[in-house]
Each structure stands twice: as C-alpha cells, then as structure tokens.
Amino acid sequence: MTHIHGRRLAASAIAAGLLCGSAVALAAPALAATSAASSRTAAFTTGGWLDQITRDEEVSFAESHWNWTAWNDSTPVTDGADQPNYQCAEFVARAMAAAGLIPGLSPNAPQSDYFDYTAPNGKVYDLLLISVLPQYHNIYDYLMDSGLGIDVGDNPAAARPGDFVVTYLGPNGTPSHMGLIATAPTASAEATVDAHNHARYRYGYHFYAPSHLVELAPNAVLKVTAWAAQHNFKNPIKTPPQHVAPTAPLGSHSLVGVGRFADPAGPQV
C-alpha cells in the first residue's frame, strides 16, 4: 500500500467517524443545500431566472434600437421621428428574435424573412404586420398560436418589462400598433413603452390607449423550444411567398421603395 493510499484510507475512516458521530449536525446543512439547489433549478425552469434573462434580452434590444432608421441602419432618428423602413411590428419581432422567441429567425435577418416566416406549426406569419387583414397571419396571431402571449386586456398595473402593448385604433376597433414594455409601473409612475414607427423611448402606457397588455408567458423560451421540437422544426428552407402585400400606396407610413414590407393598414402613433 502506498503512502498516499494509506492517507486516503485514514482520511476516509476519520470522515466516516465524523459523519456517524455528527449525523444530526450535518443533516440540516445538507438538506438546506439540497433545498437551495432544488430552488435554483425550479427558479431557472419555472418562470424565474430564465424568464428574467429572456425579458432582459428583449428590452436590451429595444433600448438599443428604438431610434434606428432601419433594421440594418443604425443612423439615429430624433425622438418622435418617423421610421417608415422600420415599423412597429418589426421592431417588436426583432426584439423577440433577439431573446430566442422566434425559432430559426435572427434579429439581424432581412425583412423578407420576417415577412414570410414559417413557424413550427407550419403556418406562414407576416411578423411585420399587426393590423388585421384576412389574408395574413400577423404578429399577434403568432403570439397567440405559439402560446407565448397572454392577452389580459387593458391591465397596465400587471405590465412587466418584456410584455407587449397592442393599440386598438384600426377599423372597427382592430389592432393598429404595438410596442414593448420597457419599465414596470411604480407607486408614482405608469409602465413605459418603447416603440416604432415614430421613434418612442419609454413613453407612458396610456399614450397608446386604447390598448391591451399582452403578457409574455412564463417559461417562454422553454415553451417555444418545446413547440419547435414537437414539430421537428429546423431552420426552414425558404419557399416562394405565400401571400403578397399590396404594392399600391399604403398610406402615410408605407415603405419608400420596398412597399411590400409595409403594414398596409392602421395608424401608428
């Protein structure tokens, strides 16, 4: 037997004696450590740390892109300025993609990938669109179909960073605009919103009235990952567009030169 092996056996014997003689003393810390580890695991997988990271990623993107001229042009516009090449739904969709909430889609992907996004359920969504048009599945549809969004109505007190605001100023009270909650309400201030197509940084929730709060579902990243796995989803091979947006003038917020990627209906505030 080597000297090292002898030392290990001796140490083991001493440790065993200590454990036998101090079982009661050690039980509480051991159980506490196990409980803490379980709590950490639960927090990470049931709407705790992972959700916070997801929300932080969304807001970080929004806070650093609220005044961009276009998705690929970081030239800043002034507060309240028009952004015809980077509208509201696209801004929110890219923030979601930055947080991993749109499988297979990068926040730096071209607009065409957002215009015709094939989701794990096989549907094609126009993630540049919030307005309700019968030939489109818009970004609101994506939030509902994926289970990532929970529409709780006009409930600003429940707003948390990373949630969504949908404004209802379209025809017959339909959705016309959306933004991302940047800060939660406090005792003295309402929740704030970052948005396009007029560059808005931390505007009050009620600036967007009449609105609904769409909460980001708990475990959103895990939910969308499971959704993708259920359908064996991989980055889809691009197919011809399933729908074509109007190419006629689309109103005051149409895209110059690339009108097919504009939201063709509804005011943007």
Side-chain angles (χ1 to χ4, degrees):
M1 181 184 294
T2 65
H3 179 62
I4 294 175
H5 287 169
R7 290 182 61 185
R8 285 178 178 169
L9 285 173
S12 297
I14 293 170
L18 289 172
L19 286 172
C20 291
S22 307
V24 175
L26 292 175
L31 289 173
T34 302
S35 177
S38 298
S39 296
R40 287 195 295 270
T41 301
F44 191 76
T45 59
T46 59
W49 298 344
L50 184 57
D51 275 0
Q52 189 59 56
I53 291 169
T54 303
R55 291 172 178 275
D56 287 348
E57 288 294 327
E58 285 184 288
V59 174
S60 177
F61 183 92
E63 300 274 89
S64 60
H65 290 75
W66 70 274
N67 61 351
W68 280 38
T69 294
W71 69 273
N72 57 353
D73 183 356
S74 61
T75 305
V77 302
T78 58
D79 181 42
D82 206 10
Q83 296 160 296
N85 294 329
Y86 197 176
Q87 298 196 40
C88 67
E90 179 182 357
F91 174 64
V92 172
R94 289 187 185 275
M96 292 175 61
L101 297 175
I102 308 179
L105 197 56
S106 160
N108 299 315
Q111 284 183 326
S112 56
D113 289 359
Y114 283 79
F115 178 69
D116 275 296
Y117 170 68
T118 302
N121 60 1
K123 285 186 180 180
V124 177
Y125 293 87
D126 181 356
L127 299 178
L128 308 179
L129 181 73
I130 184 60
S131 302
V132 176
L133 297 173
Q135 68 269 39
Y136 298 83
H137 299 299
N138 63 19
I139 188 171
Y140 182 89
D141 296 329
Y142 175 78
L143 285 168
M144 297 299 110
D145 293 347
S146 64
L148 294 178
I150 304 170
D151 192 328
V152 296
D154 189 11
N155 188 12
R160 297 174 58 200
D163 290 339
F164 315 97
V165 174
V166 177
T167 302
Y168 289 81
L169 286 174
N172 300 314
T174 55
S176 60
H177 185 57
M178 74 184 309
L180 187 78
I181 296 289
T183 63
T186 66
S188 59
E190 64 180 348
T192 64
V193 179
D194 292 344
H196 287 203
N197 156 19
H198 296 302
R200 308 292 189 190
Y201 177 75
R202 297 193 177 184
Y203 274 58
Y205 174 95
H206 286 99
F207 182 81
Y208 296 95
S211 296
H212 280 195
L213 176 69
V214 178
E215 294 179 337
L216 181 66
N219 303 313
V221 166
L222 297 180
K223 186 183 293 289
V224 78
T225 300
W227 190 43
Q230 177 186 358
H231 296 279
N232 297 315
F233 180 82
K234 297 180 180 178
N235 291 355
I237 298 174
K238 284 298 175 185
T239 56
Q242 301 298 307
H243 58 264
V244 178
T247 55
L250 303 177
S252 61
H253 299 292
S254 63
L255 295 178
V256 177
V258 284
R260 69 185 294 264
F261 296 129
D263 184 338
Q268 296 200 357
V269 295

